Amino acid sequence: MNLLAEAWAWLTDPASWTDGGIPERIAQHLAVTFVVVVIAAVIALPAGIAVGHRRRGGGWVVATSGAARAIPTLGVLTLFALWLGIGLVAPVLALVLLAIPPLIAGAYAGVAAIDHSIPEAARAIGMSEAQIVGRVEVPLAARTIVGGLRSATLQVIATATLAAYISDTGLGRYIIGGLKSRDYAEMIGGSVLVVALALILDAAFALALRLRIFRTTTSARHHERTAL
Amino acid sequence: MNWLQQNIALVAELTVIHLAITIAAVFLSLLLAVPIGRLAYRWKWVGGPTVAVLAVLYAVPSLPLLIIVPAVTGTPLRSPLNLVMVLTIYGVAVLVRSVVDGFVAVPVSPRTAATAVGYSGWARFWVVELPLAAPIIIAGLRVVLVSTISLVTIGSIIGIRSLGTFFTDGFQRGIVAEVATGVVVTVTLALLLDQLCAVAARRALPWTVPTERRRRSVPQ
Amino acid sequence: MIRFEGASKVYRDGTVAVGGVSFEVPAHTTTALLGPSGAGKTTLLRMVNRMIEPSSGSVLIDDVNVASVDPVQLRRSIGYVLQAGGLMPHRTVLDNVASVPRLRGESAASSRNRAEEMLALVGLEPRLGNRYPDELSGGQQQRVGVARALAGDPNVLLMDEPFGAVDPIVRRELQDELKRLQAELGKTILLVTHDVDEALALGDEIVILRTGGSIAQRATPTELLLHPADDFVASFIGAGNPARSLSLREEHGARLVFDASGRVIGTVDR
């Protein structure tokens, strides 16, 4: 319990919050997370939606993203760091690659779950393929896709913490640095910060999902599992 | 491959340790998740908050959790027990979901039929509900197996020995082959265990195998 | 007017869904495609709006080969009604009905007006316009489906088992509505059904298809009942079926109608 008290002292110490301290680290962590999720989404979401729309190759998507779960994050991070050297390129690249499988799987699942008769009907009344994707499939899959973004974001926050092992960025440095210098206060304090960040972002997503635009109607809901 | 040849014994040793931690965590997860899931399913007013709390726990990143848990429980930071506890938390979070979904998916008719035939509550659970819920639970178990094997490696950052040690050691000494070996062995282990689980499930639950496959493998 | 010329559909594994079918749906009339499952009725229907491309032969609308028209434009000029509506669940009823005018580029206001007219035409209350499809009953959803198909003022209406998903009482109501609409609007309708009664009720002409997609007979309902071309048609249309072989007897001072097994099923008023 002593340790927790020390960590609390470190967290509430104004000195920790001066320039170069906690605020900067939080900003770094958020920035890395944001950049990684955006890049991964730009690659993965259109791909997943396309596979779901064509209804071909879904088996591959599911199998690959399942297998990707087996790939150890730390392994990929250290491997990339050894190949690409010091700097941000290695961790960002590694994190982007790790974030792609769950995003593709989520986008694919969201679109594929739509009752086939709905896009078929849209096609029959004269919507072009692009209009079917944009006006019918994406709106109906939106909830699942955003759910995928939510878990990807959480994953990236976690892996960005690990990235501190190979580069000096983000809140993970408090943990890695604290381990080296046996500064338990810093270590635990840093951990608390990461957890808080993760939970706040998760709550933000949960709130966003309550917005009207993500309230799908019953017929599409049949195929959904309720996300918390 | 030179590195691999020189360190085969170490690879074997760390694989065994890695497996031990994994199996301990997954076994504990299953042991805890089935009763918790069953309760969550039976009593919705308990179930709702339970699943919510577990979802929050699942959102917590792993490395920080590995630091906070020993601070709270007093376990030594570097003990494998710490890692097993954290892995079990994640495992339970995923499995309780699967257990609840599994029981929800059991169709009403076998349940009602069992009661009508005369099965008591307990017997009905073991003979009807659990086997019928099993496929979904096992699907969740496979996910937990694979992700646990991957997560064990994180422990190497705080000094808990496993296949992840190849990552930290390899990085610090700049040996790509070491890191690569660690990745390959971890992934292979995960896929192997996943397949083993799938095969075992088909054996234990023969009705889940599609009919054509079943007829082919059963000697006439 | 719709014309099939030697239209056939053969799939890669060799299944013949439709084998060289030729017939015409005269303008402003209703033709019912009738047959057992696997007879290729839906396949033929979907060749008209190019949801399925024929393996050989052609389909023409008003002497224009549909293959020469851009599929998306083609579909916007044809009304299509499917079983269970096929309505967009995330759009209101009014938005659903306004789909085709909107796709054609009409303004939101004029599409909306048109949609409201259509709802009235199919006998739905205006207040249903702001509801979502899953808030409506099956029968109401089907009416919306018909309204949507008519909103673009197409000449041709394709209907694929449009009343199959509702219960028999609602089905009769909807069939009567369709007859009324057709009397008023005079569209060229090609209707797929496996319900003999529905075909007899709605079809000016009926095309009976065999499994494997070839025409067994094409005739008016009366012709089919009186002169079935072969045993298949006879048994399908039920001419020899006890339910259709009716007899008239005077009893209790009224004229009663009996089916072949001796059960009374109706009276004759006039």
Side-chain angles (χ1 to χ4, degrees):
Chain A
M1 290 304 122
N2 210 352
L3 293 169
L4 291 176
E6 284 179 34
W8 180 252
W10 176 83
L11 274 172
T12 50
D13 181 1
S16 315
W17 291 82
T18 54
D19 280 328
I22 294 179
E24 185 174 318
R25 291 268 172 209
I26 293 181
Q28 271 178 0
H29 206 108
L30 277 171
V32 169
T33 303
F34 182 74
V35 166
V36 168
V37 172
V38 165
I39 297 178
V42 162
I43 299 174
L45 292 184
I49 292 172
V51 176
H53 173 74
R54 290 220 191 92
R55 289 171 188 262
R56 279 256 190 100
W60 282 109
V61 167
V62 173
T64 343
S65 67
R69 216 181 279 124
I71 302 178
T73 313
L74 192 59
V76 175
L77 280 169
T78 47
L79 208 56
F80 275 48
L82 287 176
W83 279 335
L84 300 168
I86 316 279
L88 279 176
V89 176
V92 168
L93 194 58
L95 294 179
V96 165
L97 281 174
L98 288 166
I100 288 179
L103 279 173
I104 288 193
Y108 163 74
V111 173
I114 299 172
D115 191 325
H116 189 51
S117 64
I118 297 175
E120 274 285 286
R123 193 170 289 121
I125 65 172
M127 284 197 204
S128 66
E129 295 306 299
Q131 286 170 326
I132 297 174
V133 171
R135 298 192 195 186
V136 179
E137 292 181 320
V138 169
L140 286 173
R143 198 185 164 81
T144 310
I145 294 177
V146 172
L149 274 167
R150 176 184 183 179
S151 33
T153 303
L154 285 178
Q155 178 186 304
V156 175
I157 292 181
T159 47
T161 316
L162 289 174
Y165 187 73
I166 58 169
S167 104
D168 181 12
T169 35
L171 295 165
R173 241 9 242 184
Y174 289 131
I175 302 177
I176 311 286
L179 269 169
K180 287 216 182 87
S181 54
R182 294 181 183 277
D183 185 343
Y184 282 82
E186 190 181 41
M187 235 170 60
I188 299 173
S191 300
V192 170
L193 284 170
V194 175
V195 173
L197 196 65
L199 293 181
I200 290 173
L201 277 172
D202 191 44
F205 267 100
L207 268 167
L209 280 171
R210 287 180 176 226
L211 287 173
R212 207 100 210 288
I213 40 173
F214 298 115
R215 296 273 188 83
T216 50
T217 52
T218 334
S219 28
R221 226 185 277 140
H222 280 320
H223 307 275
E224 266 188 359
R225 298 172 50 180
T226 10
L228 268 170
Chain B
M1 296 313 102
N2 226 336
W3 184 91
L4 181 57
Q5 288 167 331
Q6 290 167 2
N7 292 275
I8 266 281
L10 184 60
V11 171
E13 179 196 346
L14 289 179
T15 305
V16 170
I17 296 178
H18 195 111
L19 259 174
I21 298 177
T22 305
I23 298 197
V26 173
F27 180 69
L28 267 171
S29 303
L30 194 58
L31 210 58
L32 287 169
V34 173
I36 295 178
R38 179 76 183 160
L39 284 169
Y41 163 74
R42 284 288 294 279
W43 289 302
K44 301 288 164 64
W45 57 271
V46 161
T50 312
V51 173
V53 165
L54 287 171
V56 168
L57 278 174
Y58 189 71
V60 174
S62 45
L63 185 56
L65 199 56
L66 274 171
I67 311 287
I68 293 179
V69 163
V72 166
T73 60
T75 355
L77 178 66
R78 296 191 161 77
S79 108
L81 179 61
N82 179 17
L83 187 53
V84 170
M85 280 197 290
V86 169
L87 292 172
T88 306
I89 293 176
Y90 290 131
V92 168
V94 171
L95 267 177
V96 164
R97 217 17 191 323
S98 302
V99 170
V100 172
D101 288 342
F103 284 126
V104 165
V106 174
V108 174
S109 18
R111 242 196 284 243
T112 340
T115 319
V117 163
Y119 278 106
S120 71
W122 244 153
R124 200 175 60 227
F125 173 76
W126 285 107
V127 174
V128 176
E129 298 202 57
L130 193 54
L132 287 177
I136 294 185
I137 299 179
I138 291 182
L141 185 66
R142 287 170 66 179
V143 169
V144 169
L145 251 175
V146 170
S147 35
T148 302
I149 292 186
S150 175
L151 273 174
V152 169
T153 58
I154 310 247
S156 61
I157 294 187
I158 58 177
I160 302 174
R161 297 184 76 221
S162 74
L163 289 169
T165 313
F166 289 139
F167 304 150
T168 48
D169 191 59
F171 176 68
Q172 276 156 18
R173 307 209 298 191
I175 308 175
V176 173
E178 184 173 1
V179 177
T181 307
V183 173
V184 169
V185 176
T186 308
V187 172
T188 313
L189 202 62
L191 296 177
L192 259 170
L193 278 181
D194 179 61
Q195 276 309 298
L196 255 161
C197 202
V199 169
R202 284 199 285 268
R203 284 291 161 81
L205 313 168
W207 64 88
T208 54
V209 181
T211 337
E212 319 82 53
R213 270 177 96 173
R214 213 186 308 163
R215 293 231 175 90
R216 261 191 277 129
S217 55
V218 171
Q220 293 302 336
Chain C
M1 170 270 284
I2 307 172
R3 188 162 67 235
F4 291 88
E5 289 182 349
S8 74
K9 183 67 184 173
V10 184
Y11 288 106
R12 249 178 302 172
D13 60 0
T15 339
V16 178
V18 173
V21 167
S22 302
F23 71 94
E24 186 176 300
V25 180
H28 312 301
T29 68
T30 306
T31 296
L33 279 174
L34 186 60
S37 301
K41 327 183 275 293
T42 301
T43 311
L44 267 172
L45 187 80
R46 296 172 111 220
M47 285 187 193
V48 180
N49 67 355
R50 296 187 67 182
M51 296 289 279
I52 292 182
E53 300 285 1
S55 312
S56 63
S58 43
V59 183
L60 298 99
I61 296 182
D62 293 333
D63 292 316
V64 176
N65 192 337
V66 299
S68 66
V69 181
D70 167 55
V72 172
Q73 295 305 321
L74 177 70
R75 292 167 194 153
R76 290 179 191 173
S77 69
I78 295 177
Y80 189 79
V81 182
L82 354 60
Q83 201 173 55
L87 302 174
M88 301 295 121
H90 59 305
R91 295 266 178 274
T92 60
V93 163
L94 216 56
D95 284 333
N96 265 284
V97 177
S99 300
V100 176
R102 286 296 272 145
L103 282 171
R104 289 224 198 116
E106 279 181 41
S107 74
S110 88
S111 306
R112 201 187 170 79
N113 282 332
R114 181 88 185 135
E116 283 166 358
E117 278 173 35
M118 292 297 104
L119 278 183
L121 187 66
V122 298
L124 285 172
E125 297 167 30
R127 66 181 171 86
L128 290 177
N130 290 321
R131 301 257 180 94
Y132 283 89
D134 62 0
E135 297 175 68
L136 270 53
S137 71
Q140 288 171 327
Q141 287 182 25
Q142 279 311 88
R143 286 176 198 256
V144 175
V146 175
R148 178 177 69 179
L150 292 172
D153 197 24
N155 290 328
V156 171
L157 206 56
L158 300 176
M159 307 182 89
D160 191 354
E161 315 236 19
F163 309 133
V166 296
D167 67 66
I169 296 176
V170 175
R171 196 178 309 154
R172 278 317 253 307
E173 277 174 22
L174 292 174
Q175 287 168 356
D176 291 338
E177 276 291 318
L178 185 62
K179 284 203 283 217
R180 178 186 66 77
L181 277 172
Q182 177 63 341
E184 204 179 304
L185 301 171
K187 304 293 184 192
T188 305
I189 302 182
L190 185 57
L191 166 80
V192 164
T193 181
H194 62 267
D195 181 342
V196 177
D197 289 308
E198 187 164 87
L200 290 173
L202 297 174
D204 297 318
E205 302 221 332
I206 301 179
V207 173
I208 301 196
L209 292 168
R210 266 185 259 271
T211 312
S214 58
I215 299 184
Q217 186 171 4
R218 175 172 173 255
T220 63
T222 316
E223 267 295 299
L224 281 173
L225 280 170
L226 290 178
H227 303 122
D230 57 22
D231 289 335
F232 170 74
V233 176
S235 66
F236 198 82
I237 204 95
N241 186 322
R244 276 192 212 287
S245 173
L246 309 174
S247 55
L248 201 53
R249 272 212 296 276
E250 280 238 18
E251 275 184 27
H252 314 293
R255 288 188 292 172
L256 295 175
V257 183
F258 292 84
D259 69 11
S261 57
R263 295 249 209 90
V264 59
I265 57 169
T267 62
V268 181
D269 300 317
R270 284 170 256 119

